[in-house]
Amino acid sequence: MSGPVGSGGTGVPGTPWLRVPDHAEGRIRLFCFPFAGGGAAAYRPWVPLLADVAQVLPLHLPGREARRREALVRDIDVMARAVADALAPWCREPYAFYGHSMGALLAHRTVAVLQRRGLPLPALLFAAARRPPHMPPDLPLVHPLNRRELAAKMRNLGATPERILEDEALLDVFLPVLRADFEMGETASPWRTDAPLAVPIVAMGGQCDGVRRAELSDWRLHTSKSFACRMFAGGHFFHLEHPEAVTAGVRQFLAPDPRTLSALAQSGHSIKE
């Protein structure tokens, strides 16, 4: 994504967590949380696809890409507090969160931190390819796997380039990040269903993913506002396989008029399935 790390004309302090160009009036800020082992680059194709309605702002998490020399984080609540600290200056309505897999859990925890702090909340939370936060992680756990098993798991999921899986030096860089991210997701304490967020949630899933629609539908237990569920062709990384279709689905909920989106967030009206 173009633009230096910093304020980008926004009038707020710079941060390594975001690359923030000048904000275009009338567009919603869409903060995108990566999947385990992923980085901000995964959302680069979304930038032109949503350019007329949203400013796509992928998060740059510690330990990868330009922040690869920073210490990895293994506790999702520690990460959520750090993300909330970093995003607070940009949490001006209207904005939205999209989180994929581990990123969906991190986005949910970040909203919870913002809510506890009394800060402006996102108008929408898109939670993709992740069971809702009250459910325990799938077994067997991934983060304790040895090097060979972890690489095989990534090959089966299908999003990791083969050149990385076949290069021992690249694996030395990639696998620690991946392991830390899985540890964040798999050691997170289950979230109580009696502590819903005051934010509408749109759950998204791949039709060939192991996360089933019935599980995704239980994200409705985590909002006191509106809820919808959308399914797309593809597997766990359906947003990489079919970016045009997924961004079209996102676009349906990002109203052209930001005031409309803000009103939806406050109303509690149902989103039609």
Side-chain angles (χ1 to χ4, degrees):
M1 187 172 178
S2 62
V5 174
S7 64
T10 60
V12 293
T15 173
W17 296 82
L18 293 170
R19 295 178 183 269
V20 185
D22 289 331
H23 183 55
E25 291 298 323
R27 289 196 298 167
I28 299 149
R29 287 189 173 98
L30 179 63
F31 297 99
C32 297
F33 293 65
F35 50 86
Y43 292 104
R44 193 169 294 142
W46 285 32
V47 175
L49 293 172
L50 288 171
D52 59 323
V53 296
Q55 186 179 37
V56 176
L57 297 173
L59 282 185
H60 294 252
L61 300 184
R64 68 212 76 200
E65 298 172 319
R67 304 182 69 186
R68 61 186 177 276
R69 297 187 184 279
E70 297 184 32
L72 295 167
V73 179
R74 292 177 169 80
D75 185 309
I76 199 162
D77 292 309
V78 170
M79 182 73 89
R81 290 192 293 271
V83 173
D85 290 342
L87 295 189
W90 283 274
C91 289
R92 304 168 181 171
E93 296 183 63
Y95 72 98
F97 282 174
Y98 177 95
H100 199 93
S101 195
M102 182 277 294
L105 193 62
L106 178 58
H108 172 270
R109 295 285 172 116
T110 302
V111 176
V113 174
L114 295 172
Q115 183 166 285
R116 286 197 300 269
R117 294 179 180 178
L119 294 171
L121 300 179
L124 280 172
L125 167 60
F126 295 95
R130 179 78 191 195
R131 301 167 75 197
H134 65 278
M135 292 186 177
D138 289 330
L139 296 176
L141 299 179
V142 173
H143 76 272
L145 297 177
N146 63 36
R147 181 186 178 93
R148 178 183 58 80
E149 293 168 335
L150 192 55
K153 176 73 174 180
M154 292 305 99
R155 180 174 281 110
N156 290 338
L157 286 175
T160 307
E162 197 64 29
R163 64 180 179 81
I164 293 178
L165 296 174
E166 294 181 349
D167 187 314
E168 293 299 322
L170 290 177
L171 282 177
D172 287 341
V173 176
F174 174 64
L175 289 185
V177 177
L178 183 71
R179 192 183 303 280
D181 283 357
F182 268 105
E183 186 173 348
M184 271 202 300
E186 292 178 337
T187 60
S189 57
W191 197 263
R192 304 190 321 273
T193 55
D194 62 348
L197 304 178
V199 172
I201 293 178
V202 178
M204 293 181 161
Q207 293 170 350
C208 298
D209 189 15
V211 183
R212 300 181 299 275
R213 184 186 181 108
E215 294 172 318
L216 289 167
S217 294
D218 277 351
W219 273 96
R220 72 174 68 245
L221 302 175
H222 296 277
T223 176
S224 61
K225 298 291 185 178
S226 306
F227 176 79
C229 185
R230 293 287 185 272
M231 302 300 293
F232 297 88
H236 189 66
F237 298 103
F238 60 89
H239 69 314
L240 302 180
E241 299 170 51
H242 306 287
E244 294 86 358
V246 177
T247 52
V250 168
R251 176 187 295 275
Q252 292 177 359
F253 295 97
L254 299 182
D257 182 351
R259 290 170 298 181
T260 303
L261 187 59
S262 295
L264 173 65
Q266 298 302 320
S267 69
H269 292 167
S270 297
I271 301 175
K272 293 182 180 179
E273 294 273 354

